[in-house]
């Protein structure tokens, strides 16, 4: 551009000088000066015009460069795409915000587990959520959980929270003559759960790691809830390997953020821990459709179960440094929905679980080991109190199993459900009979206001009430969230062979009955306040806290946060 301008200037000067030569010999000096001045003025006018044109060209070039620089910053891969033959994309702003779709979220609490969904489900949830894009990285809250992901969603990291703080106490629960008092506090508190689920995703591969800072009946212990690898690329299927909570029984398939009352009924808590429970090594998977659900897992030891220093800190009894042969087992659950309408959901199912090889621990003889098991349950309020119903150790336990049906019905805002399980312990020594136990429960929940509980096809269970964003607690707008009234009746019978002549066959674990009623208030999808009253009645057992039978009452509350 500069070269062209100089060349034109030289040409004009040369032309002017050549045109002046003939005039030198034929005109007077004054005439020659006038002609020269006019030529110079014409040249100056032409130069001025050329300067203006040059300035405009420079301005346009700078504008093009500025646009190219902005495009490169907003879309750094566009230039690479042109080199490899991809169509050029329109420049995108550095920061953009996409609003959530109206009505896309039903406002139900997030799970207490990592979000292990298929890549397509994850993208669908992301598309329904409000989202901020910063330089090609997307930040949003799909399903109510903070999530960072790449522009195509192939890479993602989600962080969640399940925070349950319980407080309350017992009254009229004192021991009778000769019984040990037990830890039945008049008032105390317990960090029941403090889980922080981490989900690391690459397309349909998901790693889930969830530490738990409320991993015991008392404050102060840290444990692991889950640490596993999952593949979700098959239709409505999740395949899992690692430390996991295998889904068995209807209550155990629910997230703890969805429970009717503070604790599971005693029988489902007892059954699940035969070969499942929290942080159990598992290999298996689940599959769901709109009308049916199935899950099965091969299982091993619980996390930390061979750690001698963990004797009293893991949730269900701790580890043992003398374990020389870890437990193996399996679980199976099948559920269906034969009736599905707007107002009615009918749920039926069955669960089975077995520890077909009980863990073997060395005793006084290091060359041999013993296999034993035990059962015990607190009166369904978990703030560190003692067991009243418990079998004590059951020796020579070759195999432990449980099986039973489950039934549930939703009619509009009302849900009723129940489960029954029979538990068996096969014993290996001569003269020892198998032991058998049983238990059942019935529960009901009615949503007074807010979105009622609905069926969750991914869990094969009933989820919590929902609070849409437009209905969150705000007294100024006469909005109160959701409120439900709940109750259940729960029984476990831990007595077996009471009339047998061989004292080694007699197991007096007691029969425990618990009546519970309560209220659950959801101001929004992320928070819940629970209040339960329970009455427990336990027949005598071999526990020092319950040699004559014991009754009592408790009042308990929970503050819950779920993200």
């Amino acid at each position: 551009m500069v070269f062209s301008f100089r060349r034109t200037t030289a040409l004009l000067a040369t032309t002017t000088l050549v045109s002046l030569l003939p005039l030198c010999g034929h005109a007077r000096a004054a005439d020659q000066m006038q002609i020269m001045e006019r030529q110079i003025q014409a040249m100056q006018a032409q130069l001025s015009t050329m300067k203006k044109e040059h300035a405009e060209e420079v301005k346009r070039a700078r504008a093009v460069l500025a646009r190219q620089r902005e495009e490169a910053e907003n879309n750094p891969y566009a230039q690479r795409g042109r080199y490899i033959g991809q169509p050029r994309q329109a420049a995108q702003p550095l920061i953009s915000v996409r609003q959530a779709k109206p009505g896309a979220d039903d406002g139900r609490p997030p799970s207490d587990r990592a979000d292990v969904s298929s890549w397509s489900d994850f993208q669908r949830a992301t598309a329904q959520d409000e989202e901020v894009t910063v330089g090609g990285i997307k930040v949003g809250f799909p399903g109510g959980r903070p999530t960072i992901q790449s522009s195509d969603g192939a890479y993602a990291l989600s962080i969640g929270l399940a925070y349950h703080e319980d407080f309350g106490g017992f009254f009229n629960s004192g021991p009778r003559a000769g019984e040990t008092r037990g830890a039945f506090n008049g008032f105390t508190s317990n960090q029941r759960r403090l889980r922080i689920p981490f989900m690391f995703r690459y397309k349909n591969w998901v790693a889930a790691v969830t530490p738990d800072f409320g991993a015991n009946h008392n404050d102060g212990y840290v444990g692991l809830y889950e640490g596993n690898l999952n593949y979700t690329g098959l239709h409505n299927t999740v395949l899992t390997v690692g430390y996991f909570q295998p889904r068995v029984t209807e209550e155990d398939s629910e997230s703890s953020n969805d429970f009717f009352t503070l604790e599971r009924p005693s029988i489902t808590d007892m059954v699940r821990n035969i070969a499942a429970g929290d942080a159990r090594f598992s290999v298996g998977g689940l599959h769901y459709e709109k009308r049916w659900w199935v899950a099965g897992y091969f299982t091993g030891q619980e996390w930390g179960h061979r750690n001698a220093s963990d004797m009293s800190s893991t949730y269900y009894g701790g580890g043992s440094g003398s374990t020389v042969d870890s437990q193996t087992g399996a679980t199976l659950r099948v559920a269906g929905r034969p009736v599905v309408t707007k107002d009615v959901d009918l749920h039926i199912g069955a669960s089975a679980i077995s520890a077909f090889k009980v863990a073997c621990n060395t005793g006084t003889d290091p060359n041999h080991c013993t296999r034993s098991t035990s059962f015990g349950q607190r009166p369904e309020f978990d703030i560190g109190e003692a067991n009243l119903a418990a079998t004590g150790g059951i020796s020579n336990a070759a195999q432990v199993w449980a099986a039973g049906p489950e039934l549930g019905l939703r009619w509009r805002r009302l849900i009723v459900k129940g489960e029954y399980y029979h538990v068996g312990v096969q014993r290996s020594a001569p003269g020892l009979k198998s032991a058998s136990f049983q238990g059942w429960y019935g529960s009901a929940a009615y949503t007074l206001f807010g979105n009622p509980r609905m069926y969750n096809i991914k869990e094969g269970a009933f989820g919590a009430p929902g609070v849409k964003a437009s209905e969150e607690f705000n007294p100024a707008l006469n909005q109160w969230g959701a409120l439900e009234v709940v109750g259940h009746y729960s029984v476990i019978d831990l007595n077996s062979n009471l009339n047998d002549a061989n004292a080694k066959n007699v197991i007096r674990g007691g029969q425990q009955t618990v009546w519970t009623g309560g209220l659950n208030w959801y101001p929004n999808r992320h928070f819940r306040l629970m209040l339960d009253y329970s009455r427990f009645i336990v027949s005598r057992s071999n526990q020092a806290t319950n040699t004559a039978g014991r009754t009592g009452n408790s009042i308990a509350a929970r503050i819950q946060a779920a993200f």
Side-chain angles (χ1 to χ4, degrees):
M1 194 178 301
V2 174
F3 173 78
S4 176
F5 173 73
R6 289 177 177 175
R7 185 176 61 185
T8 304
T9 304
L11 180 61
L12 288 173
T14 303
T15 304
T16 302
L17 292 174
V18 171
S19 64
L20 291 176
L21 290 177
L23 297 177
C24 294
H26 304 286
R28 293 176 304 178
D31 293 337
Q32 292 176 354
M33 289 298 297
Q34 289 178 357
I35 293 172
M36 186 178 293
E37 287 178 0
R38 286 196 297 270
Q39 292 286 348
I40 291 173
Q41 289 174 357
M43 183 179 67
Q44 288 176 340
Q46 193 169 3
L47 287 173
S48 177
T49 301
M50 292 179 65
K51 286 181 179 180
K52 290 181 180 179
E53 292 176 352
H54 175 69
E56 290 296 327
E57 289 182 3
V58 171
K59 184 177 179 181
R60 285 194 295 270
R62 287 176 177 174
V64 170
L65 289 173
R67 285 196 300 271
Q68 290 176 346
R69 187 181 299 112
E70 182 180 2
E71 180 182 359
E73 290 175 352
N74 291 336
N75 188 2
Y77 299 107
Q79 187 69 25
R80 185 187 67 177
R82 288 196 294 271
Y83 289 153
I84 62 177
Q86 295 179 353
R88 180 176 179 180
Q89 299 179 356
Q92 299 293 325
L94 183 62
I95 299 177
S96 64
V97 180
R98 179 174 51 76
Q99 300 295 325
K101 295 181 180 179
D105 189 357
D106 60 6
R108 304 190 188 279
S111 174
D112 63 351
R113 307 153 181 162
D115 178 20
V116 182
S117 58
S118 69
W119 189 27
S120 59
D121 285 348
F122 176 72
Q123 290 176 312
R124 192 176 302 113
T126 300
Q128 294 174 344
D129 183 61
E130 181 176 292
E131 182 181 275
V132 177
T133 300
V134 182
I137 300 299
K138 297 192 291 188
V139 180
F141 291 80
R145 182 158 286 175
T147 300
I148 302 172
Q149 56 182 302
S150 58
S151 58
D152 61 357
Y155 291 91
L157 165 65
S158 292
I159 302 175
L161 174 68
Y163 169 86
H164 297 172
E165 176 73 24
D166 295 353
F167 53 93
F170 294 87
F171 60 96
N172 296 332
S173 305
R176 298 183 182 182
E179 293 179 334
T180 302
R181 184 185 189 281
F184 290 87
N185 291 273
F187 178 84
T188 190
S189 61
N190 181 38
Q191 185 68 72
R192 183 65 178 83
R193 295 177 183 87
L194 205 174
R195 298 172 181 166
I196 305 177
F198 292 88
M199 183 278 291
F200 304 87
R201 173 185 296 277
Y202 175 67
K203 296 183 179 178
N204 281 307
W205 295 88
V206 180
V209 179
T210 303
D212 190 352
F213 297 88
N216 195 271
H217 300 282
N218 300 299
D219 286 331
Y221 289 101
V222 177
L224 180 73
Y225 174 64
E226 63 179 348
N228 49 68
L229 176 65
N230 305 267
Y231 179 70
T232 64
L234 304 177
H235 176 67
N236 291 352
T237 301
V238 181
L239 303 178
T240 302
V241 59
Y243 286 115
F244 181 66
Q245 182 197 336
R247 315 301 191 229
V248 65
T249 82
E250 193 275 344
E251 279 280 336
D252 196 41
S253 297
E254 294 180 7
S255 162
S256 62
N257 291 334
D258 298 343
F259 285 174
F260 282 25
T261 55
L262 269 70
E263 300 298 330
R264 299 178 183 88
S266 295
I267 185 58
T268 57
D269 207 36
M270 189 174 96
V271 164
R272 80 189 192 106
N273 287 291
I274 293 173
D278 300 347
R280 176 79 69 173
F281 177 78
S282 307
V283 179
L286 64 85
H287 179 83
Y288 63 89
E289 297 292 345
K290 182 178 179 180
R291 286 183 173 267
W292 59 277
W293 188 99
V294 61
Y297 300 91
F298 167 83
T299 66
Q301 68 173 27
E302 290 176 299
W303 178 81
H305 205 73
R306 291 184 292 112
N307 188 344
S309 65
D310 221 21
M311 288 289 287
S312 61
S313 62
T314 57
Y315 188 80
Y316 288 100
S320 172
S322 63
T323 299
V324 294
D325 191 10
S326 295
Q327 174 180 301
T328 55
T331 70
L332 176 66
R333 178 175 181 248
V334 179
R337 299 167 70 198
V339 179
V340 182
T341 69
K342 178 182 178 181
D343 294 329
V344 177
D345 261 313
L346 177 62
H347 164 92
I348 60 173
S351 289
I353 186 170
S354 176
F356 41 76
K357 186 185 72 174
V358 179
C360 190
N361 302 319
T362 57
T364 56
D365 184 352
N367 296 319
H368 297 84
C369 61
T370 59
R371 303 180 191 272
S372 63
T373 191
S374 63
F375 297 99
Q377 286 292 308
R378 292 164 172 80
E380 299 184 8
F381 176 27
D382 203 342
I383 53 171
E385 71 283 4
N387 287 339
L388 297 176
T391 63
I394 304 173
S395 63
N396 302 101
Q399 187 181 64
V400 184
W401 61 273
E406 54 190 64
L407 179 67
L409 174 67
R410 179 188 67 86
W411 180 67
R412 296 183 179 177
R413 293 178 168 269
L414 174 68
I415 289 179
V416 292
K417 65 177 185 176
E419 298 180 77
Y420 168 86
Y421 290 98
H422 183 86
V423 180
V425 180
Q426 296 180 5
R427 305 177 74 183
S428 59
L432 293 183
K433 293 182 179 179
S434 297
S436 61
F437 313 102
Q438 62 181 340
W440 60 90
Y441 76 90
S443 298
Y446 185 83
T447 306
L448 299 174
F449 53 81
N451 297 322
R453 289 178 176 264
M454 299 296 289
Y455 198 79
N456 185 336
I457 63 172
K458 294 184 179 181
E459 295 181 347
F462 293 98
V467 181
K468 295 181 180 180
S470 59
E471 300 171 352
E472 293 179 354
F473 175 67
N474 188 342
L477 300 177
N478 196 31
Q479 296 174 186
W480 304 96
L483 180 68
E484 67 175 345
V485 57
V486 298
H488 80 232
Y489 170 73
S490 169
V491 177
I492 54 169
D493 184 355
L494 300 185
N495 294 322
S496 180
N497 302 319
L498 292 182
N499 299 319
D500 196 271
N502 186 348
K504 293 183 179 181
N505 290 326
V506 176
I507 300 174
R508 187 178 292 278
Q511 178 174 301
Q512 176 174 284
T513 302
V514 180
W515 296 84
T516 300
L519 293 171
N520 298 327
W521 178 49
Y522 304 77
N524 51 59
R525 73 173 303 176
H526 294 291
F527 295 92
R528 174 167 71 162
L529 282 78
M530 306 176 70
L531 180 65
D532 286 359
Y533 163 77
S534 294
R535 169 73 175 172
F536 61 86
I537 306 166
V538 189
S539 67
R540 71 184 182 94
S541 67
N542 290 328
Q543 295 296 105
T545 54
N546 185 31
T547 59
R550 196 157 172 177
T551 62
N553 307 272
S554 66
I555 294 181
R558 170 174 294 170
I559 300 172
Q560 172 178 304
F563 287 87

